[in-house]
């Protein structure tokens, strides 16, 4: 197959790759040069089935025509417009479309360029909201162990991944963490939402008692923690968090960077769990991963609290050069249209049943100590090699890539999140590929 990008550069040293074992990679590079629908093409011309929607973002599959066309058209028509004190129609149209598909009560949108920036934006909105309401003492932020909220300082402060936190000094002050909800002893091999652990939400009451509610601005959680290995909240847990936050005037932020845009078989995780947060953080699937963009949705109550004082004064001192960038907005609008045309925001509800069945058929395969699933997300937890954590899963990742499957690993957990267009036959192919990999690795 001829492809203009297929030439592999002969010096890989200049690019310091993100979240990558650089030395290992550069000894044996894994390069994609093209992608279409469910498949990548490698630089050596092989087809690789995408079991991860890129990085949990290509929900509609690759190179979808409407999105590709919209980007080209927009770049030619209006490439850039200043984001501050100026506007362009597509950003407003997109904000309206997002409000339409979001849970009732989330009525205003701030645009960013990534999940990390969406998280920072949400945390800043929360702090500033309390201040404009005259409750400026509410400065504390509550996150959770094993949470991933991106890589910026706010996000790693409320996040709970040790390797993300230990290198970067003291982080934000005034942050506390709830316990994570992962419980292999009680919940291993649960199909769907696990039963045990609802009471862990009451840890929030303990934290509120410790610090006093009047000092706490917000609680941030992923409805399902994705990047730390698909940690599914116990039944009723998020509802309980909602009750506690409401009772104490604390804002609840859902980080839906992974769970947003159909991943759970509902438009958002909030819909799946029937819990509406005050602020919803999104990115990834918003543009199908094609152009960097994030969106933060907030309640009218939060937005309206800022809309006071002289009209010529900026109400919220925050934004990015590329907030609501025209090309990104066009990509997002075309992505939402593609989702709508193909019912992709809800397709995972039905497909998830087949996915769960196939996934759980891996029970009993070598090294497997847990399998869990929700919507179109799945995880296979492996017994770590004694003294070499992460090595077994990394071997699985390399073996899968060699045999034509893109999977993602975190720790010793294989995480799967295929594009929502995946067929039943491709689900079977993916799971059988992983079965063969599990049987082949040490
Ligand atoms: C829940 C969550 N929040 C934030 C982020 C950060 O997003 P980005 O990599 O776009 O900055 C991620 C990325 O995986 C995520 O899963």
């Amino acid at each position: 197959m001829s492809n203009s990008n297929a030439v592999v550069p002969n010096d890989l040293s200049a690019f310091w790759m993100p979240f990558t074992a650089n030395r290992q990679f550069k000894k044996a590079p894994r390069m994609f040069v093209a992608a279409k629908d469910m498949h990548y093409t490698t630089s050596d011309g092989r087809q690789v089935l995408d079991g991860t929607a890129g990085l949990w973002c290509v929900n509609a599959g690759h190179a979808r025509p409407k999105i590709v066309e919209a980007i080209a058209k927009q770049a030619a028509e209006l490439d850039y417009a200043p984001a501050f004190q100026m506007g362009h129609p597509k950003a407003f149209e997109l904000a309206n479309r997002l409000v339409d598909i979001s849970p009732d009560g989330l009525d205003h949108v701030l645009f960013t360029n990534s999940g990390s920036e969406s998280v920072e934006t949400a945390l800043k909105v929360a702090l500033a909201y309390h201040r404009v309401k005259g409750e400026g003492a509410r400065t504390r932020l509550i996150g959770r162990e094993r949470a991933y909220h991106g890589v910026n300082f706010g996000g790693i402060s409320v996040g709970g991944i040790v390797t993300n936190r230990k290198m970067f000094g003291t982080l934000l002050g005034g942050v506390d963490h709830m316990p994570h909800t992962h419980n292999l002893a009680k919940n291993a091999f649960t199909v769907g939402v696990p039963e045990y652990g609802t009471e862990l939400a009451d840890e929030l009451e303990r934290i509120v008692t410790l610090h006093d509610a009047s000092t706490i601005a917000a609680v941030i959680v992923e409805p399902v923690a994705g990047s730390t290995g698909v940690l599914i909240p116990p039944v009723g847990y998020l509802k309980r968090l909602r009750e506690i936050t409401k009772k104490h005037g604390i804002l609840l932020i859902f980080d839906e960077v992974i769970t947003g845009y159909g991943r759970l078989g509902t438009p958002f995780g909030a819909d799946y769990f029937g819990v509406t947060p005050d602020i919803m953080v999104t990115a990834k699937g918003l543009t199908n991963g094609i152009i960097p963009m994030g969106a933060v949705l907030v309640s009218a109550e939060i937005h309206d609290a800022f809309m006071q004082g002289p009209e010529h004064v900026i109400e919220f001192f925050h934004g990015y050069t590329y907030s609501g960038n025209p090309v990104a907005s066009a990509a997002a609008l075309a992505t939402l249209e593609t989702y709508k045309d193909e019912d992709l925001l809800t397709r995972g509800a039905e497909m998830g049943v087949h996915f769960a069945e196939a996934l759980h058929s891996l029970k009993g395969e070598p090294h497997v100590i847990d399998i869990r699933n929700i919507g179109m997300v799945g995880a296979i937890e492996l017994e770590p090699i004694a003294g070499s954590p992460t090595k077994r899963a990394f071997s699985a990742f390399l073996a899968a890539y060699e045999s034509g499957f893109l999977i993602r690993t975190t720790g010793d957990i294989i995480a799967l999140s295929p594009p929502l267009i995946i067929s039943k036959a491709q689900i079977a192919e993916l799971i059988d590929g992983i079965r063969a990999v599990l049987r082949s690795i040490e």
Side-chain angles (χ1 to χ4, degrees):
M1 178 181 170
S2 95
N3 185 302
S4 58
N5 295 322
V7 179
V8 175
N10 58 12
D11 186 350
L12 307 182
S13 67
F15 178 22
W16 190 347
M17 298 172 70
F19 279 125
T20 297
N22 274 254
R23 289 159 302 160
Q24 191 281 341
F25 179 94
K26 289 168 189 180
K27 277 188 190 142
R30 301 173 291 278
M31 298 278 202
F32 289 138
V33 294
K36 183 72 194 139
D37 298 328
M38 281 299 301
H39 290 90
Y40 281 106
T41 306
T42 64
S43 55
D44 54 354
R46 293 185 303 116
Q47 292 290 290
V48 170
L49 183 67
D50 186 356
T52 60
L55 272 178
W56 319 78
C57 50
V58 187
N59 289 0
H62 296 272
R64 300 308 308 274
K66 262 197 180 161
I67 310 172
V68 174
E69 281 159 26
I71 291 169
K73 187 160 172 274
Q74 185 61 44
E77 192 175 293
L78 174 67
D79 51 356
Y80 179 79
F84 308 158
Q85 305 285 20
M86 294 299 297
H88 68 90
K90 288 222 165 57
F92 293 93
E93 192 185 337
L94 176 59
N96 287 326
R97 287 282 298 116
L98 287 173
V99 169
D100 285 348
I101 63 167
S102 296
D104 286 348
L106 296 171
D107 300 319
H108 299 274
V109 184
L110 300 106
F111 288 116
T112 74
N113 309 290
S114 66
S116 296
E117 287 182 357
S118 290
V119 167
E120 305 300 303
T121 299
L123 297 177
K124 286 175 74 177
V125 167
L127 291 170
Y129 164 73
H130 290 298
R131 197 182 155 90
V132 297
K133 288 232 317 176
E135 289 194 77
R138 285 190 183 263
T139 56
R140 196 172 289 280
L141 301 167
I142 310 298
R144 194 164 54 170
E145 295 164 357
R146 289 190 72 162
Y148 183 63
H149 297 296
V151 292
N152 293 341
F153 273 105
I156 57 175
S157 301
V158 293
I161 304 181
V162 180
T163 42
N164 246 357
R165 295 166 54 86
K166 72 177 179 191
M167 302 299 284
F168 309 111
T170 54
L171 312 184
L172 281 191
V175 172
D176 209 338
H177 291 79
M178 299 180 289
H180 67 76
T181 63
H182 191 41
N183 186 339
L184 274 184
K186 294 265 197 193
N187 289 326
F189 298 104
T190 297
V191 179
V193 174
E195 201 176 321
Y196 295 97
T198 315
E199 70 287 352
L200 288 168
D202 293 328
E203 282 293 305
L204 180 57
E205 281 284 15
R206 187 187 59 76
I207 291 173
V208 171
T209 305
L210 175 66
H211 298 292
D212 197 79
S214 67
T215 69
I216 302 177
V219 169
I220 180 167
V221 289
E222 303 152 272
V224 175
S227 300
T228 56
V230 185
L231 314 183
I232 301 165
V235 63
Y237 172 91
L238 293 172
K239 278 211 161 93
R240 187 84 192 101
L241 285 190
R242 180 67 282 187
E243 286 160 14
I244 297 170
T245 47
K246 201 161 244 165
K247 181 169 98 183
H248 295 293
I250 298 167
L251 296 178
L252 180 62
I253 305 172
F254 274 181
D255 181 345
E256 297 238 17
V257 169
I258 280 178
T259 51
Y261 307 107
R263 180 52 55 197
L264 304 186
T266 49
F268 296 93
D271 300 305
Y272 186 97
F273 293 103
V275 176
T276 304
D278 302 293
I279 304 180
M280 194 167 76
V281 168
T282 78
K284 291 193 191 279
L286 170 58
T287 58
N288 206 34
I290 297 178
I291 302 268
M293 188 179 220
V296 179
L297 288 103
V298 306
S299 67
E301 191 187 333
I302 292 175
H303 168 268
D304 294 350
F306 286 86
M307 299 300 139
Q308 51 175 317
E311 285 201 359
H312 70 281
V313 173
I314 293 166
E315 295 98 353
F316 180 47
F317 221 66
H318 176 80
Y320 302 96
T321 298
Y322 308 110
S323 295
N325 170 282
V327 181
S329 298
L333 282 166
T335 297
L336 296 185
E337 235 179 278
T338 305
Y339 291 159
K340 189 170 176 208
D341 291 347
E342 300 172 24
D343 292 327
L344 293 180
L345 295 183
T346 50
R347 185 171 190 263
E350 188 208 329
M351 250 327 154
V353 176
H354 303 287
F355 183 60
E357 200 178 308
L359 189 71
H360 283 272
S361 76
L362 294 172
K363 188 174 179 183
E365 295 296 344
H367 321 300
V368 175
I369 58 171
D370 185 25
I371 295 172
R372 39 191 187 268
N373 71 285
I374 182 164
M376 289 303 287
V377 187
I380 305 149
E381 185 152 351
L382 306 181
E383 175 85 50
I385 295 172
S388 294
T390 76
K391 195 162 180 214
R392 178 165 280 146
F394 192 59
S395 301
F397 165 72
L398 294 176
Y401 174 73
E402 284 311 316
S403 53
F405 302 96
L406 182 67
I407 62 173
R408 174 128 186 89
T409 64
T410 170
D412 274 293
I413 300 163
I414 296 172
L416 299 175
S417 57
L420 304 172
I421 58 168
I422 194 169
S423 68
K424 286 184 199 169
Q426 286 164 332
I427 289 175
E429 196 190 330
L430 176 65
I431 300 300
D432 285 343
I434 293 171
R435 192 187 316 281
V437 163
L438 292 171
R439 291 178 184 180
S440 74
I441 57 170
E442 291 282 296

